Amino acid sequence: MNILTFDIEEWYLEKEYFGDRKYRYAVYDRYLDRILNTLDERGFKGTFFCVGGMATYFPDVVKRIDRRGHEIGCHSNRHVWLNKMTEAEVKEDTRTAVDALEQCIGKKIKSYRAPAFSIGRSNSHVFEILSECGIKRDASVFPAERDFGGFPEYGTKSPTMIYCNRVIMKEFPISTTTLIGKDVAYSGGGYFRFFPLSFVLSEMNKSDYNMTYFHIGDLISMIPHIQTKEEYESYFKEPGTLKNRYVRYIKSNLGIKDAFEKMIKLIRSEVFVNLEQADAMTNWNDIPSTVLY
């Protein structure tokens, strides 16, 4: 079971943080159309996790994806890391986002992914908030260490049932592999840019569960220069030291040249389903559970 997902935020981030450059919207539109056309050719459906701000400021983009038969999921409202927000702020953000997306496409939103996979042990109460907002399945757990925390103690790399106080959530974690004793992702984000396609395909063929996660901004050059201290801190909400800004620049551009075409080749090489289809294909009676407090 290979699950195909995309995180859609670039238009909104451009408007809010990167200068509202109109030509950038045309670039994102062009790459999105290429993705949608490729999926049509293959007969695949993906899950597109959209920030609520997309429904507010760029509803045509969200509707375009929905009209092609793909699942619309929620990716928060403003793309702020959940572990940098209070519980009340997360609740307001999630409710606002879900409502905006549902009003946009006229359908219930049942799938969620946190920005930067920012749900971990320290803020597992978020699962309760998601359930209160109508979310049935989550794809936010990154079961390894990463820049923004991760959830290394989660303990599994396959679908699970999360029990958190009063709620039950179906969880589809990110896929990882072990290299030099460290768990790393390979099927999305900057990791996908770094590894050769042959390595990605080899890792996918070793498992009967693979979760992909693609951002248009991870596949084309989004940060052509080292950001100013103000630009960095406005978006990342952490100190804009020269080291932090330089590391972010390197990570954002490493392997960028052929990244988009590599993703297209991957889609044409394997069979994929979206999160809704994966949920229906999973026998939840035989799935292990994880209890969080």
Side-chain angles (χ1 to χ4, degrees):
M1 180 168 62
N2 301 322
I3 306 174
L4 187 63
T5 72
F6 300 86
D7 296 351
I8 302 297
E9 69 233 17
E10 284 76 15
W11 293 255
Y12 173 76
L13 297 184
E14 176 63 36
K15 178 178 177 59
E16 289 294 299
Y17 301 104
F18 301 141
D20 196 22
R21 297 164 295 181
K22 302 301 185 288
Y23 77 90
R24 295 297 291 184
Y25 302 142
V27 171
Y28 303 143
D29 286 338
R30 185 168 70 250
Y31 279 99
L32 175 61
D33 284 342
R34 178 86 185 280
I35 291 169
L36 295 176
N37 290 339
T38 301
L39 295 182
D40 281 352
E41 292 169 9
R42 295 288 286 150
F44 298 156
K45 301 303 178 185
T47 293
F48 289 73
F49 293 101
C50 302
V51 296
M54 289 293 299
T56 301
Y57 297 111
F58 302 94
D60 289 348
V61 175
V62 181
K63 291 178 181 178
R64 190 190 325 166
I65 298 168
D66 175 65
R67 283 195 298 265
R68 302 288 276 267
H70 303 289
E71 180 189 15
I72 300 296
C74 179
H75 194 40
S76 83
N77 192 50
R78 298 179 295 122
H79 206 262
V80 175
W81 298 185
L82 302 190
N83 54 9
K84 296 181 181 290
M85 302 168 68
T86 66
E87 185 172 345
E89 288 171 335
V90 173
K91 185 173 295 188
E92 178 62 22
D93 182 270
T94 307
R95 286 176 174 170
T96 301
V98 170
D99 181 66
L101 292 166
E102 290 183 346
Q103 292 295 325
C104 182
I105 64 172
K107 299 175 183 176
K108 288 292 184 182
I109 301 298
K110 298 182 180 180
S111 297
Y112 184 89
R113 171 171 290 147
F117 309 101
S118 51
I119 302 179
R121 176 69 67 177
S122 65
N123 64 343
S124 59
H125 60 265
V126 169
F127 292 116
E128 296 178 71
I129 295 173
L130 298 182
S131 180
E132 290 172 6
C133 293
I135 300 299
K136 304 298 182 185
R137 45 189 173 255
D138 179 70
S140 301
V141 169
F142 193 102
E145 295 280 1
R146 68 189 311 269
D147 288 352
F148 304 109
F151 208 148
E153 65 270 45
Y154 190 73
T156 183
K157 305 174 184 178
S158 59
T160 54
M161 295 287 288
I162 290 177
Y163 292 83
C164 186
N165 293 331
R166 299 165 296 161
V167 308
I168 301 173
M169 183 68 62
K170 297 173 180 176
E171 179 62 40
F172 293 85
I174 293 303
S175 302
T176 63
T177 189
T178 303
L179 290 177
I180 320 177
K182 183 177 181 180
D183 285 339
V184 297
Y186 56 86
S187 55
Y191 304 93
F192 179 76
R193 294 199 312 263
F194 178 77
F195 293 120
L197 179 59
S198 58
F199 175 83
V200 175
L201 289 170
S202 174
E203 290 301 312
M204 290 180 66
N205 289 332
K206 292 177 183 178
S207 175
D208 58 6
Y209 169 79
N210 293 288
M211 170 65 75
T212 68
Y213 61 103
F214 296 110
H215 304 73
I216 292 176
D218 280 336
L219 302 170
I220 64 176
S221 182
M222 273 281 289
I223 305 179
H225 63 274
I226 296 178
Q227 293 174 293
T228 66
K229 185 174 185 292
E230 292 73 20
E231 288 174 332
Y232 184 94
E233 292 181 349
S234 172
Y235 180 61
F236 291 105
K237 309 300 182 187
E238 64 182 20
T241 64
L242 180 60
K243 177 184 177 182
N244 284 349
R245 288 181 281 140
Y246 188 76
V247 168
R248 178 55 50 187
Y249 172 77
I250 295 297
K251 287 184 176 181
S252 298
N253 287 280
L254 185 66
I256 201 73
K257 182 179 179 181
D258 301 317
F260 190 85
E261 292 304 322
K262 186 196 298 186
M263 181 199 66
I264 294 296
K265 290 179 181 178
L266 177 67
I267 294 173
R268 288 175 172 160
S269 299
E270 297 290 333
V271 175
F272 289 94
V273 297
N274 66 15
L275 204 59
E276 182 178 31
Q277 293 169 322
D279 184 353
M281 293 166 58
T282 301
N283 182 356
W284 293 101
N285 293 323
D286 295 334
I287 291 298
S289 61
T290 298
V291 179
L292 303 174
Y293 296 99

